[in-house]
Amino acid sequence: MRLIKSPSLINKELKKRRIKGQGIGFVPTMGALHEGHLSLIRQARRDNDIVVVSIFVNPKQFGPKEDLKKYPRPLSKDLKLCRKEGVDFVFFPKNEDIYPGGFSTYVNVEGLDKFLCAKSRPGHFRGVTTIVAKLLNIIAPDVLYLGQKDIQQAVILQRMVKDLNIPVKVKVMPIVRSKDGLALSSRNAYLNHKERRDALVLSQALKLAVFFINNGASDAKRIILRMRQLIEKRQSVRIDYVEIVDPVTLKPLKKVAGSFLIVLAVWVGKTRLIDNFLRK
Amino acid sequence: MRLIKSPSLINKELKKRRIKGQGIGFVPTMGALHEGHLSLIRQARRDNDIVVVSIFVNPKQFGPKEDLKKYPRPLSKDLKLCRKEGVDFVFFPKNEDIYPGGFSTYVNVEGLDKFLCAKSRPGHFRGVTTIVAKLLNIIAPDVLYLGQKDIQQAVILQRMVKDLNIPVKVKVMPIVRSKDGLALSSRNAYLNHKERRDALVLSQALKLAVFFINNGASDAKRIILRMRQLIEKRQSVRIDYVEIVDPVTLKPLKKVAGSFLIVLAVWVGKTRLIDNFLRK
């Protein structure tokens, strides 16, 4: 496994492999790798000749009051995990090589970046689309692996790839959960014992909604109300949003039928957690 | 020479050439080719194994009151010229294949798209950066050829290529002029006999400024004033802007020394013309 910091160097190294006809799978991450990331890496390992993982805590996707500084950065543990999973290249760039002085170009997926998480995280998706557009140019992979956990991100990036004719296939991998149902997230590390227990309410609310829908409920407003009631029983939590939306446009659905996406974001103490359920 | 309309087909065809190690030069145009375009095509022909010219009148870079409908589209003449210059591929996509339903991703070079032409053409450069980002993904050339005539466009696209790590070299080719000094433009076709004569004032004003600067003038304000006075003598013209700016940041200069860019946009009748002089 090679650890490369320079964008131009990794671009050159991967070009050599591409000329030989080797296929490249790419997993972009902010590090603090957990089983969710590993499921992406394992799929990339199965599908491709070369697996590239990037580790970059992208400042452009954090708001001024968000957790950029305290975001976990366990680099040596991350590298050990990558080595164990048979990763070929870890790309670990410096901030100043990604955003040098005078940087001023941004990619915007308009519309989709107005809903859901975008409301409480203005500028977040602009940061995500911009860094991923850059990484796709640097790495030039055949396949990009994303997690369904960050579903809005996945929807927006799929739209970007299509709209800008970026020559990459996108695979969205299922959410990985703890045994008790909590969706894995690097931010779970912020939770104390009580908060960790209260955080279960996200997956429980999703299960409740799916139970209702499987038993014939279709009125989105009523299903959402039941979810909110369940969540609000916990004292340490505060709802950011609970919505049932179209999986492609992210616009709210009135009637739940066919394909749908239930999404929620909830503050547990000072930690904002997200989860979702997708029926295609 | 092959004429290809489908984005995915031309992408596939060029991939074959790339695998063989052939270098690709790309000249994006809106058609209505003149000697300015041909100078780009000829340079591309000298530098590369494969030359690709795109012809696409990009609606996203026209304002609602601009000349999208009447913009000249002499396709068979354009194709004849391309064949004569030894072009290998002409990419002539349909609007609906470039901007299919649901299209919503835009590339913005922030800051640089606030100055000069951007003031009277809001959204224009967003349209330019978005289409060129798309074309660069579809064609994946080694070298992109741009004309200095559209200098703000060239500055913005160079910034975009750098910022988004797009793996392409950019060559900006000098302005081609008629014998009497008028910079070639597809929009010159709109001018009547009198307007054609009045349009000479753009290059004359640039010459005047360069004369002053070569003879020691350095106060931008005064140089600009002299240019404006010269231009305003013509009754059929109306100044949009006359500025002397930094060639990288496009910010106005107070003192003209070292490298500078003189830029102007002038309405001649109902036709808006631009011209510039660059000292590196």
Side-chain angles (χ1 to χ4, degrees):
Chain A
M1 189 179 81
R2 285 187 63 185
L3 175 68
I4 295 185
K5 292 188 179 186
S6 152
S8 58
L9 180 60
I10 195 161
N11 182 266
K12 209 185 290 175
E13 288 296 324
L14 292 172
K15 210 175 214 169
K16 284 187 212 163
R17 312 302 179 106
R18 213 170 300 114
I19 288 169
K20 286 190 206 166
Q22 295 187 305
I24 299 168
F26 175 46
V27 183
T29 83
M30 300 211 301
L33 304 181
H34 52 63
E35 284 291 323
H37 300 104
L38 299 186
S39 75
L40 272 56
I41 295 173
R42 285 173 196 145
Q43 186 65 42
R45 187 66 286 167
R46 283 192 286 276
D47 295 347
N48 303 278
D49 301 309
I50 304 285
V51 174
V52 182
V53 172
S54 68
I55 298 179
F56 180 62
V57 182
N58 174 33
K60 302 253 182 214
Q61 71 190 70
F62 287 80
K65 287 178 182 172
E66 288 184 358
D67 56 342
L68 174 61
K69 272 196 179 162
K70 75 166 181 178
Y71 198 87
R73 291 168 172 83
L75 182 64
S76 62
K77 190 185 159 218
D78 286 345
L79 293 179
K80 209 176 280 175
L81 286 169
C82 286
R83 196 169 284 119
K84 200 176 150 221
E85 298 299 337
V87 170
D88 299 290
F89 291 91
V90 173
F91 179 46
F92 178 65
K94 288 181 191 170
N95 195 36
E96 59 263 37
D97 289 335
I98 293 294
Y99 301 115
F103 181 91
S104 41
T105 305
Y106 295 89
V107 178
N108 293 291
V109 176
E110 298 184 359
L112 292 179
D113 61 354
K114 296 285 168 287
F115 302 114
L116 311 176
C117 286
K119 285 184 192 165
S120 56
R121 304 190 73 187
H124 169 66
F125 288 112
R126 185 183 83 143
V128 169
T129 44
T130 300
I131 188 66
V132 174
K134 283 170 66 69
L135 289 170
L136 289 174
N137 281 324
I138 294 167
I139 307 297
D142 299 280
V143 193
L144 169 67
Y145 295 86
L146 301 172
Q148 189 201 311
K149 165 71 171 16
D150 297 309
I151 184 74
Q152 187 173 9
Q153 173 175 292
V155 169
I156 287 176
L157 289 174
Q158 284 175 295
R159 184 83 244 172
M160 174 185 85
V161 162
K162 190 179 174 202
D163 283 352
L164 295 186
N165 306 84
I166 300 176
V168 70
K169 196 181 156 186
V170 181
K171 278 199 182 178
V172 181
M173 302 296 296
I175 299 176
V176 178
R177 299 179 180 280
S178 304
K179 275 186 188 164
D180 59 7
L182 182 67
L184 296 193
S185 163
S186 305
R187 290 189 168 98
N188 291 349
Y190 301 154
L191 303 172
N192 66 28
H193 186 71
K194 185 182 172 305
E195 288 167 348
R196 174 69 183 70
R197 212 176 49 215
D198 285 350
L200 288 180
V201 80
L202 281 90
S203 56
Q204 285 165 354
L206 288 170
K207 266 190 207 156
L208 182 73
V210 173
F211 174 82
F212 285 138
I213 293 165
N214 288 345
N215 285 280
S218 68
D219 183 302
K221 223 173 183 176
R222 288 184 64 173
I223 299 164
I224 290 168
L225 181 67
R226 295 296 198 86
M227 291 176 74
R228 298 188 76 108
Q229 285 168 343
L230 178 79
I231 296 165
E232 283 163 351
K233 279 181 191 162
R234 311 277 172 139
Q235 288 188 330
S236 76
V237 310
R238 184 165 57 81
I239 293 172
D240 180 358
Y241 64 78
V242 180
E243 295 198 40
I244 305 178
V245 301
D246 178 281
V248 174
T249 66
L250 301 181
K251 284 182 184 161
L253 294 174
K254 280 185 178 174
K255 281 278 165 206
V256 182
S259 72
F260 62 86
L261 171 65
I262 316 176
V263 275
L264 72 170
V266 170
W267 289 92
V268 180
K270 289 185 173 175
T271 305
R272 187 173 172 281
L273 299 176
I274 57 176
D275 202 348
N276 69 80
F277 176 88
L278 172 64
R279 183 161 290 163
K280 281 184 194 169
Chain B
M1 189 179 81
R2 284 188 64 186
L3 175 68
I4 296 185
K5 292 190 178 185
S6 152
S8 58
L9 179 61
I10 194 161
N11 182 267
K12 209 185 289 174
E13 288 297 323
L14 292 171
K15 210 175 215 168
K16 284 187 212 161
R17 312 301 179 107
R18 214 171 299 113
I19 287 168
K20 287 189 204 166
Q22 294 186 305
I24 299 167
F26 175 46
V27 183
T29 83
M30 300 209 302
L33 304 181
H34 53 63
E35 283 292 323
H37 300 104
L38 298 185
S39 74
L40 273 56
I41 294 173
R42 285 171 195 146
Q43 186 65 43
R45 188 64 285 167
R46 283 193 286 277
D47 295 348
N48 303 277
D49 302 308
I50 305 284
V51 174
V52 182
V53 172
S54 67
I55 298 178
F56 180 61
V57 182
N58 174 33
K60 302 253 181 213
Q61 70 190 68
F62 287 79
K65 287 179 183 173
E66 288 184 359
D67 56 343
L68 174 61
K69 272 198 181 161
K70 75 165 179 178
Y71 197 87
R73 291 169 172 82
L75 181 64
S76 62
K77 190 184 158 217
D78 286 345
L79 293 179
K80 209 175 279 177
L81 287 169
C82 286
R83 196 169 286 120
K84 198 175 149 219
E85 298 298 337
V87 169
D88 300 289
F89 292 92
V90 172
F91 178 46
F92 178 65
K94 287 182 193 169
N95 195 35
E96 60 263 37
D97 288 335
I98 292 294
Y99 302 116
F103 181 91
S104 41
T105 305
Y106 295 89
V107 178
N108 292 290
V109 176
E110 299 184 358
L112 293 178
D113 62 354
K114 296 285 169 285
F115 302 115
L116 310 177
C117 287
K119 285 183 192 165
S120 55
R121 305 190 72 188
H124 169 66
F125 289 112
R126 185 183 83 142
V128 170
T129 44
T130 300
I131 188 64
V132 174
K134 284 171 65 70
L135 290 170
L136 289 174
N137 281 324
I138 294 168
I139 308 295
D142 298 280
V143 192
L144 170 67
Y145 296 85
L146 301 173
Q148 189 200 309
K149 165 65 172 19
D150 298 309
I151 184 73
Q152 186 173 11
Q153 173 175 293
V155 169
I156 287 176
L157 289 174
Q158 284 175 295
R159 184 82 244 172
M160 175 186 84
V161 162
K162 191 180 174 201
D163 284 352
L164 294 187
N165 306 85
I166 300 176
V168 69
K169 196 180 158 187
V170 181
K171 278 199 183 176
V172 181
M173 302 298 294
I175 298 175
V176 177
R177 298 179 180 280
S178 304
K179 275 187 188 163
D180 59 8
L182 182 67
L184 297 193
S185 163
S186 306
R187 290 189 169 99
N188 292 349
Y190 302 152
L191 302 172
N192 66 29
H193 187 70
K194 185 182 172 303
E195 288 167 346
R196 174 67 184 72
R197 213 176 48 214
D198 285 350
L200 289 179
V201 79
L202 281 90
S203 57
Q204 285 166 353
L206 288 170
K207 266 191 206 154
L208 182 74
V210 173
F211 175 81
F212 285 138
I213 293 166
N214 287 345
N215 285 280
S218 68
D219 184 300
K221 224 173 182 175
R222 289 185 61 173
I223 299 163
I224 290 168
L225 182 66
R226 294 295 199 88
M227 293 176 73
R228 297 188 77 107
Q229 285 168 343
L230 178 79
I231 296 165
E232 285 163 350
K233 277 181 193 164
R234 312 278 172 138
Q235 287 189 332
S236 76
V237 309
R238 186 166 54 82
I239 293 173
D240 181 359
Y241 64 79
V242 180
E243 294 199 40
I244 305 179
V245 301
D246 178 283
V248 175
T249 66
L250 300 183
K251 284 180 186 164
L253 294 174
K254 280 186 179 175
K255 282 278 166 206
V256 181
S259 71
F260 63 86
L261 171 65
I262 315 176
V263 274
L264 73 170
V266 170
W267 287 93
V268 180
K270 289 185 175 178
T271 306
R272 188 173 171 281
L273 300 176
I274 57 174
D275 201 349
N276 68 82
F277 175 88
L278 171 65
R279 183 160 289 163
K280 283 186 192 168

